[in-house]
Amino acid sequence: MTTAPVGKYMTAKEVEACCKEPDDACKKFVNQQTMIRIKDPKKSLDFYTRVLGMRLIQTFDQPAAQRTLFFLGFCNADEIPKDKEERIKWLFLKPGCMELWYDYDAHKRDKPMHNGNCEPLGYGHIGLAVPHVKDACKRFDDLGVEFEMKVDTGFVKDTAFIRDPDGYWIELFNGATLIKA
């Protein structure tokens, strides 16, 4: 590891000192899902399935709590178990899923969803690895997707940011070329 400064706050050595070897009890933990709140399920489901290419895996309608949860992921249709119990078990073992949380009264709120990229700062973005960033951007542009930052206009080359219907940012990158940026 390097000891070069990491921004104004910490050196790389200080960063390394903060990071500990994972405890054996955590070795099988997996980042299974990211949850975001949505205002309009029709717009969000269309975006995440048709535009991004995810599949709806399972829906949990919870009328007593006045909400519906939609779980999506990147997979082939034939991978998803047909049996509901098996599908739910499979879902919650699958890494990298999205949970779209819809409160029944969300559409009535005057304010947009807070995406974390304006004050107060917080949540930042979803990262989506794609084979070719420029090709993905052309497709998204053709589909009328809103861009936060077009490819090669930011400080990191061969990356771009699009917005989902609620304004959440989605970073597009190719891991093989990102290292060269």
PDB file of all heavy atoms in Angstrom, residues 141-158:
ATOM      1  N   ASP A 141     -29.424   7.793 -24.264  1.00  0.00           N
ATOM      2  CA  ASP A 141     -29.765   9.061 -24.918  1.00  0.00           C
ATOM      3  C   ASP A 141     -30.937   8.856 -25.879  1.00  0.00           C
ATOM      4  O   ASP A 141     -31.891   9.637 -25.898  1.00  0.00           O
ATOM      5  CB  ASP A 141     -28.544   9.604 -25.651  1.00  0.00           C
ATOM      6  CG  ASP A 141     -28.568  11.101 -25.823  1.00  0.00           C
ATOM      7  OD1 ASP A 141     -29.270  11.797 -25.052  1.00  0.00           O
ATOM      8  OD2 ASP A 141     -27.877  11.598 -26.739  1.00  0.00           O
ATOM      9  N   ASP A 142     -30.882   7.786 -26.680  1.00  0.00           N
ATOM     10  CA  ASP A 142     -31.962   7.461 -27.625  1.00  0.00           C
ATOM     11  C   ASP A 142     -33.289   7.201 -26.907  1.00  0.00           C
ATOM     12  O   ASP A 142     -34.356   7.466 -27.457  1.00  0.00           O
ATOM     13  CB  ASP A 142     -31.601   6.241 -28.484  1.00  0.00           C
ATOM     14  CG  ASP A 142     -30.472   6.513 -29.478  1.00  0.00           C
ATOM     15  OD1 ASP A 142     -30.122   7.701 -29.694  1.00  0.00           O
ATOM     16  OD2 ASP A 142     -29.924   5.530 -30.015  1.00  0.00           O
ATOM     17  N   LEU A 143     -33.208   6.676 -25.672  1.00  0.00           N
ATOM     18  CA  LEU A 143     -34.414   6.394 -24.893  1.00  0.00           C
ATOM     19  C   LEU A 143     -34.914   7.615 -24.116  1.00  0.00           C
ATOM     20  O   LEU A 143     -35.921   7.542 -23.421  1.00  0.00           O
ATOM     21  CB  LEU A 143     -34.155   5.240 -23.914  1.00  0.00           C
ATOM     22  CG  LEU A 143     -33.975   3.862 -24.557  1.00  0.00           C
ATOM     23  CD1 LEU A 143     -33.485   2.850 -23.524  1.00  0.00           C
ATOM     24  CD2 LEU A 143     -35.280   3.390 -25.192  1.00  0.00           C
ATOM     25  N   GLY A 144     -34.191   8.728 -24.222  1.00  0.00           N
ATOM     26  CA  GLY A 144     -34.613   9.951 -23.545  1.00  0.00           C
ATOM     27  C   GLY A 144     -34.283   9.993 -22.064  1.00  0.00           C
ATOM     28  O   GLY A 144     -34.888  10.755 -21.313  1.00  0.00           O
ATOM     29  N   VAL A 145     -33.318   9.190 -21.634  1.00  0.00           N
ATOM     30  CA  VAL A 145     -32.920   9.171 -20.234  1.00  0.00           C
ATOM     31  C   VAL A 145     -32.189  10.473 -19.911  1.00  0.00           C
ATOM     32  O   VAL A 145     -31.383  10.967 -20.698  1.00  0.00           O
ATOM     33  CB  VAL A 145     -32.017   7.948 -19.943  1.00  0.00           C
ATOM     34  CG1 VAL A 145     -31.447   7.995 -18.542  1.00  0.00           C
ATOM     35  CG2 VAL A 145     -32.801   6.656 -20.157  1.00  0.00           C
ATOM     36  N   GLU A 146     -32.453  11.010 -18.730  1.00  0.00           N
ATOM     37  CA  GLU A 146     -31.796  12.241 -18.292  1.00  0.00           C
ATOM     38  C   GLU A 146     -30.377  11.937 -17.818  1.00  0.00           C
ATOM     39  O   GLU A 146     -30.157  11.004 -17.057  1.00  0.00           O
ATOM     40  CB  GLU A 146     -32.591  12.876 -17.151  1.00  0.00           C
ATOM     41  CG  GLU A 146     -32.049  14.200 -16.690  1.00  0.00           C
ATOM     42  CD  GLU A 146     -32.850  14.814 -15.558  1.00  0.00           C
ATOM     43  OE1 GLU A 146     -33.974  14.356 -15.282  1.00  0.00           O
ATOM     44  OE2 GLU A 146     -32.321  15.757 -14.942  1.00  0.00           O
ATOM     45  N   PHE A 147     -29.430  12.736 -18.278  1.00  0.00           N
ATOM     46  CA  PHE A 147     -28.034  12.584 -17.877  1.00  0.00           C
ATOM     47  C   PHE A 147     -27.685  13.594 -16.799  1.00  0.00           C
ATOM     48  O   PHE A 147     -28.057  14.766 -16.903  1.00  0.00           O
ATOM     49  CB  PHE A 147     -27.094  12.792 -19.070  1.00  0.00           C
ATOM     50  CG  PHE A 147     -26.962  11.585 -19.952  1.00  0.00           C
ATOM     51  CD1 PHE A 147     -27.941  11.295 -20.894  1.00  0.00           C
ATOM     52  CD2 PHE A 147     -25.875  10.741 -19.846  1.00  0.00           C
ATOM     53  CE1 PHE A 147     -27.841  10.178 -21.703  1.00  0.00           C
ATOM     54  CE2 PHE A 147     -25.760   9.624 -20.656  1.00  0.00           C
ATOM     55  CZ  PHE A 147     -26.735   9.337 -21.585  1.00  0.00           C
ATOM     56  N   GLU A 148     -26.954  13.139 -15.812  1.00  0.00           N
ATOM     57  CA  GLU A 148     -26.341  14.040 -14.837  1.00  0.00           C
ATOM     58  C   GLU A 148     -24.984  14.490 -15.372  1.00  0.00           C
ATOM     59  O   GLU A 148     -24.589  15.630 -15.212  1.00  0.00           O
ATOM     60  CB  GLU A 148     -26.184  13.337 -13.480  1.00  0.00           C
ATOM     61  CG  GLU A 148     -25.530  14.175 -12.422  1.00  0.00           C
ATOM     62  CD  GLU A 148     -26.312  15.427 -12.068  1.00  0.00           C
ATOM     63  OE1 GLU A 148     -27.566  15.416 -12.129  1.00  0.00           O
ATOM     64  OE2 GLU A 148     -25.669  16.430 -11.735  1.00  0.00           O
ATOM     65  N   MET A 149     -24.289  13.561 -16.011  1.00  0.00           N
ATOM     66  CA  MET A 149     -22.986  13.859 -16.606  1.00  0.00           C
ATOM     67  C   MET A 149     -22.775  12.929 -17.794  1.00  0.00           C
ATOM     68  O   MET A 149     -22.834  11.704 -17.646  1.00  0.00           O
ATOM     69  CB  MET A 149     -21.871  13.642 -15.572  1.00  0.00           C
ATOM     70  CG  MET A 149     -20.493  13.994 -16.061  1.00  0.00           C
ATOM     71  SD  MET A 149     -19.230  13.647 -14.812  1.00  0.00           S
ATOM     72  CE  MET A 149     -19.063  11.873 -14.995  1.00  0.00           C
ATOM     73  N   LYS A 150     -22.557  13.498 -18.955  1.00  0.00           N
ATOM     74  CA  LYS A 150     -22.317  12.696 -20.158  1.00  0.00           C
ATOM     75  C   LYS A 150     -20.919  12.078 -20.092  1.00  0.00           C
ATOM     76  O   LYS A 150     -20.047  12.555 -19.377  1.00  0.00           O
ATOM     77  CB  LYS A 150     -22.448  13.557 -21.410  1.00  0.00           C
ATOM     78  CG  LYS A 150     -23.856  14.111 -21.608  1.00  0.00           C
ATOM     79  CD  LYS A 150     -24.574  13.385 -22.690  1.00  0.00           C
ATOM     80  CE  LYS A 150     -25.947  14.003 -22.908  1.00  0.00           C
ATOM     81  NZ  LYS A 150     -26.599  13.471 -24.056  1.00  0.00           N
ATOM     82  N   VAL A 151     -20.711  11.056 -20.894  1.00  0.00           N
ATOM     83  CA  VAL A 151     -19.435  10.348 -20.901  1.00  0.00           C
ATOM     84  C   VAL A 151     -18.302  11.314 -21.274  1.00  0.00           C
ATOM     85  O   VAL A 151     -18.470  12.195 -22.123  1.00  0.00           O
ATOM     86  CB  VAL A 151     -19.485   9.130 -21.852  1.00  0.00           C
ATOM     87  CG1 VAL A 151     -19.608   9.538 -23.317  1.00  0.00           C
ATOM     88  CG2 VAL A 151     -18.277   8.232 -21.654  1.00  0.00           C
ATOM     89  N   ASP A 152     -17.193  11.155 -20.593  1.00  0.00           N
ATOM     90  CA  ASP A 152     -15.961  11.922 -20.826  1.00  0.00           C
ATOM     91  C   ASP A 152     -16.094  13.417 -20.576  1.00  0.00           C
ATOM     92  O   ASP A 152     -15.294  14.204 -21.060  1.00  0.00           O
ATOM     93  CB  ASP A 152     -15.424  11.688 -22.250  1.00  0.00           C
ATOM     94  CG  ASP A 152     -14.930  10.257 -22.449  1.00  0.00           C
ATOM     95  OD1 ASP A 152     -14.572   9.607 -21.453  1.00  0.00           O
ATOM     96  OD2 ASP A 152     -14.904   9.797 -23.605  1.00  0.00           O
ATOM     97  N   THR A 153     -17.089  13.848 -19.807  1.00  0.00           N
ATOM     98  CA  THR A 153     -17.192  15.276 -19.476  1.00  0.00           C
ATOM     99  C   THR A 153     -16.789  15.555 -18.031  1.00  0.00           C
ATOM    100  O   THR A 153     -16.643  16.705 -17.653  1.00  0.00           O
ATOM    101  CB  THR A 153     -18.622  15.814 -19.710  1.00  0.00           C
ATOM    102  OG1 THR A 153     -19.529  15.092 -18.878  1.00  0.00           O
ATOM    103  CG2 THR A 153     -19.030  15.696 -21.166  1.00  0.00           C
ATOM    104  N   GLY A 154     -16.590  14.524 -17.247  1.00  0.00           N
ATOM    105  CA  GLY A 154     -16.207  14.696 -15.845  1.00  0.00           C
ATOM    106  C   GLY A 154     -14.722  14.501 -15.650  1.00  0.00           C
ATOM    107  O   GLY A 154     -13.954  14.393 -16.612  1.00  0.00           O
ATOM    108  N   PHE A 155     -14.322  14.432 -14.405  1.00  0.00           N
ATOM    109  CA  PHE A 155     -12.901  14.278 -14.115  1.00  0.00           C
ATOM    110  C   PHE A 155     -12.418  12.844 -14.285  1.00  0.00           C
ATOM    111  O   PHE A 155     -11.226  12.597 -14.354  1.00  0.00           O
ATOM    112  CB  PHE A 155     -12.557  14.810 -12.716  1.00  0.00           C
ATOM    113  CG  PHE A 155     -13.229  14.069 -11.599  1.00  0.00           C
ATOM    114  CD1 PHE A 155     -12.595  13.006 -10.988  1.00  0.00           C
ATOM    115  CD2 PHE A 155     -14.491  14.440 -11.154  1.00  0.00           C
ATOM    116  CE1 PHE A 155     -13.208  12.314  -9.959  1.00  0.00           C
ATOM    117  CE2 PHE A 155     -15.104  13.760 -10.123  1.00  0.00           C
ATOM    118  CZ  PHE A 155     -14.463  12.694  -9.526  1.00  0.00           C
ATOM    119  N   VAL A 156     -13.322  11.871 -14.356  1.00  0.00           N
ATOM    120  CA  VAL A 156     -12.951  10.478 -14.612  1.00  0.00           C
ATOM    121  C   VAL A 156     -13.434  10.129 -16.015  1.00  0.00           C
ATOM    122  O   VAL A 156     -14.630  10.185 -16.307  1.00  0.00           O
ATOM    123  CB  VAL A 156     -13.580   9.518 -13.574  1.00  0.00           C
ATOM    124  CG1 VAL A 156     -13.212   8.082 -13.894  1.00  0.00           C
ATOM    125  CG2 VAL A 156     -13.131   9.874 -12.173  1.00  0.00           C
ATOM    126  N   LYS A 157     -12.495   9.803 -16.883  1.00  0.00           N
ATOM    127  CA  LYS A 157     -12.838   9.484 -18.277  1.00  0.00           C
ATOM    128  C   LYS A 157     -13.553   8.141 -18.363  1.00  0.00           C
ATOM    129  O   LYS A 157     -13.368   7.262 -17.532  1.00  0.00           O
ATOM    130  CB  LYS A 157     -11.575   9.462 -19.153  1.00  0.00           C
ATOM    131  CG  LYS A 157     -10.889  10.810 -19.233  1.00  0.00           C
ATOM    132  CD  LYS A 157     -11.801  11.843 -19.864  1.00  0.00           C
ATOM    133  CE  LYS A 157     -11.157  13.206 -19.923  1.00  0.00           C
ATOM    134  NZ  LYS A 157     -12.106  14.266 -20.085  1.00  0.00           N
ATOM    135  N   ASP A 158     -14.353   8.000 -19.398  1.00  0.00           N
ATOM    136  CA  ASP A 158     -15.102   6.774 -19.692  1.00  0.00           C
ATOM    137  C   ASP A 158     -16.077   6.400 -18.576  1.00  0.00           C
ATOM    138  O   ASP A 158     -16.288   5.229 -18.277  1.00  0.00           O
ATOM    139  CB  ASP A 158     -14.156   5.610 -20.013  1.00  0.00           C
ATOM    140  CG  ASP A 158     -14.835   4.555 -20.888  1.00  0.00           C
ATOM    141  OD1 ASP A 158     -15.737   4.917 -21.670  1.00  0.00           O
ATOM    142  OD2 ASP A 158     -14.477   3.369 -20.776  1.00  0.00           O
TER     143      ASP A 158
END
